[in-house]
Amino acid sequence: MGFKRVWSTTGVVALTGALLLTSAQTASADYVRDKQWVLDVFAMKDTWSETQGQGVIVAVVDSGVDGSHPDLTGQVLGGKDFTGGGNAQEDKIGHGTKMASIIAGHGHGAGNSSGVIGLAPKAKILPLRTLQTRDDNNSDETWGAAVRYAVDHGAKVINLSIANDGGKTLSAGREAIAYAEDHDVVVVAGSGNDGSSRVSEPAALPGVLSVGAVDKHANVWEDSNSGKGLALTAPGVDIVGANPTMSNGYGVGSGTSDATAFVSAAAALVRAKYPDLTAGQIINRLIKSASFLGHKGLKAPDEEYGYGIIRPRQAVTMDIPAGPKENPLGQLKSSNSTSGKESEETGTSVQAEKKKSSSSDILVIAGGIAAAVVVVGVLFAVIRSRRNGGNGGRGFGGGVSPQGAGYPPQHPTYPPAQQPYPNSVPNQGYPTPPQHSNPYTQQPPNQGQ
């Protein structure tokens, strides 16, 4: 069946951080809200006056989502379990619940002022459980089936806070992502937590919005995978979220999982604000509104920052032309496509994979045919030569040069969107690096094209 381990992109760091928060003597719901530094640096109160993600379903393909958590009540749909355990709202790890809270948590208590509030608090979560424990094989067949289910049940954004162990996504996973892209769904995935210079799959696949992690100073997290094909970066360090496995219901951790959830939430905000835009145009807005936030001399796409760090408020308020309907990051093609140019256009379709895997067989067969033709030709020439008294006759030449499936870059070049940015905006009370004040408040030039 080709099973392959696919890990969540939060990792052990999340567990360590969760234990630290749980052991704090002053830990409380209000303390949890105070830990959400992202809300301030993204000026979310201003953003929510524009949109809160209402009407958008975000699928969380993960360890399940605990819909009974006080910060998620009423936000979580029925979903489906793909592990055989039967309940998509059972989360034994806490990972999926944390992602859901980052996306659509609404807090609790008076005025919902306590607990975790997500960037898109009125979006709905579709929980799709594909693993029960951290030791489970989250195979391509399993999460691929969940992606298809999400598409068929109205999800407009799919959060994949997962990354494989360095291998390639199998056909079941690629087909599922191609299906999602073909049905106007934004697919978001984490780049991985290995500190590698290579973006992990499925994030690295064409059309997928791949996400790396940065800290509150807008610096890349040391364990965030980077490299060609990275699309965006988002907060992923010291992130608090709901976690039903902790005694107080919350945990703190770092990882590209968290960054992925923030981008999924931002996508939900934009989809709610601009319901007529295609998935590709939503991605375009997220890219065009991103910023390098004071990191000078970078050119988009940068291998560590992609097209920049997301800015949800600018993504919903900037004057950005809709642009082409197509996904600026490319698109996977399904093997069911009738296009004869799949392998040349995408380089990642199943049909192209089959051509590649069978190319050696084609060469062997072609070589055999060529050899047979040569032998027949030689015999014919010898016979004719003898008949003509040894005079040279007209001979044969033969050979087959089949062309293998070409694989272009997975993420087509996109027009650069960033320039060096000013650093003269005062901070908002968060620690800042020596070279500039709070980077998240800086305003780059209008990037609408």
Side-chain angles (χ1 to χ4, degrees):
M1 294 294 291
F3 287 169
K4 176 161 53 61
R5 178 70 55 83
V6 181
W7 300 97
S8 66
T9 49
T10 292
V12 178
V13 175
L15 291 179
T16 304
L19 292 173
L20 288 174
L21 178 58
T22 302
S23 63
Q25 295 297 316
T26 58
S28 67
D30 291 336
Y31 173 78
V32 168
R33 181 64 61 87
D34 290 342
K35 290 284 290 183
Q36 288 193 266
W37 60 268
V38 176
L39 300 180
D40 289 319
V41 299
F42 278 161
M44 289 311 300
K45 288 184 179 180
D46 294 333
T47 308
W48 291 329
S49 67
E50 299 285 340
T51 170
Q52 296 186 37
Q54 55 272 22
V56 178
I57 296 174
V58 181
V60 175
V61 179
D62 214 293
S63 59
V65 176
D66 184 357
S68 67
H69 191 285
D71 295 342
L72 286 167
T73 55
Q75 297 299 97
V76 183
L77 305 175
K80 183 175 180 179
D81 178 87
F82 290 84
T83 70
N87 188 1
Q89 293 202 18
E90 180 184 27
D91 186 1
K92 298 177 181 179
I93 302 173
H95 188 267
T97 302
K98 184 183 183 185
M99 299 308 108
S101 69
I102 290 171
I103 296 167
H106 53 48
H108 67 274
N112 288 330
S113 60
S114 299
V116 170
I117 188 166
L119 296 195
K122 290 189 177 178
K124 296 293 184 181
I125 297 295
L126 180 66
L128 302 172
R129 187 164 71 155
T130 59
L131 73 163
Q132 294 190 33
T133 73
R134 292 186 182 276
D135 294 328
D136 288 352
N137 281 315
N138 193 7
S139 70
D140 296 60
E141 289 84 354
T142 302
W143 66 257
V147 167
R148 286 180 174 274
Y149 182 94
V151 175
D152 293 340
H153 289 78
K156 301 306 291 182
V157 180
I158 297 177
N159 187 85
L160 296 175
S161 288
I162 58 176
N164 64 30
D165 56 3
K168 294 293 185 180
T169 303
L170 302 180
S171 59
R174 286 199 312 275
E175 285 281 335
I177 290 177
Y179 184 73
E181 294 175 1
D182 222 24
H183 287 78
D184 195 43
V185 178
V186 176
V187 181
V188 190
S191 68
N193 294 345
D194 303 320
S196 168
S197 58
R198 181 179 181 181
V199 176
S200 297
E201 293 193 7
L205 295 174
V208 177
L209 201 48
S210 54
V211 185
V214 295
D215 61 19
K216 65 179 62 177
H217 304 303
N219 294 322
V220 173
W221 181 48
E222 61 182 0
D223 290 331
S224 178
N225 288 10
S226 58
K228 187 176 182 180
L230 185 68
L232 290 170
T233 41
V237 180
D238 295 331
I239 305 301
V240 65
N243 187 334
T245 70
M246 295 292 104
S247 60
N248 71 342
Y250 300 95
V252 175
S254 301
T256 59
S257 279
D258 306 88
T260 300
F262 281 121
V263 173
S264 291
L269 292 173
V270 180
R271 296 220 84 156
K273 177 72 174 180
Y274 302 100
D276 295 331
L277 293 186
T278 66
Q281 291 168 330
I282 297 297
I283 291 172
N284 176 60
R285 286 195 71 90
L286 292 171
I287 287 174
K288 292 288 181 65
S289 59
S291 169
F292 288 132
L293 296 176
H295 295 279
K296 297 182 178 180
L298 302 182
K299 182 179 179 181
D302 179 76
E303 292 198 356
E304 288 192 326
Y305 287 89
Y307 291 97
I309 301 169
I310 62 163
R311 299 189 302 156
R313 184 169 65 85
Q314 286 81 355
V316 299
T317 60
M318 282 180 64
D319 181 15
I320 301 174
K325 294 183 178 181
E326 293 75 21
N327 190 331
L329 301 177
Q331 182 166 351
L332 279 172
K333 293 290 185 180
S334 168
S335 62
N336 295 323
S337 172
T338 57
S339 171
K341 298 183 180 180
E342 285 177 346
S343 59
E344 291 78 13
E345 291 177 352
T346 69
T348 49
S349 68
V350 176
Q351 183 174 349
E353 182 186 52
K354 290 179 179 178
K355 288 182 180 179
K356 183 178 179 182
S357 65
S358 60
S359 60
S360 59
D361 294 335
I362 294 173
L363 287 171
V364 171
I365 295 171
I369 295 172
V373 170
V374 171
V375 170
V376 172
V378 170
L379 290 174
F380 182 81
V382 170
I383 294 172
R384 182 170 182 176
S385 175
R386 289 176 178 176
R387 288 179 178 176
N388 292 335
N391 295 328
R394 187 176 181 181
F396 285 81
V400 179
S401 300
Q403 296 182 357
Y407 285 75
Q410 292 182 330
H411 291 269
T413 302
Y414 195 70
Q418 281 77 19
Q419 301 295 331
Y421 301 102
N423 58 0
S424 59
V425 180
N427 66 45
Q428 297 180 353
Y430 288 91
T432 56
Q435 68 270 26
H436 56 267
S437 58
N438 190 342
Y440 287 91
T441 64
Q442 297 172 25
Q443 301 298 319
N446 190 307
Q447 300 173 40
Q449 296 180 3

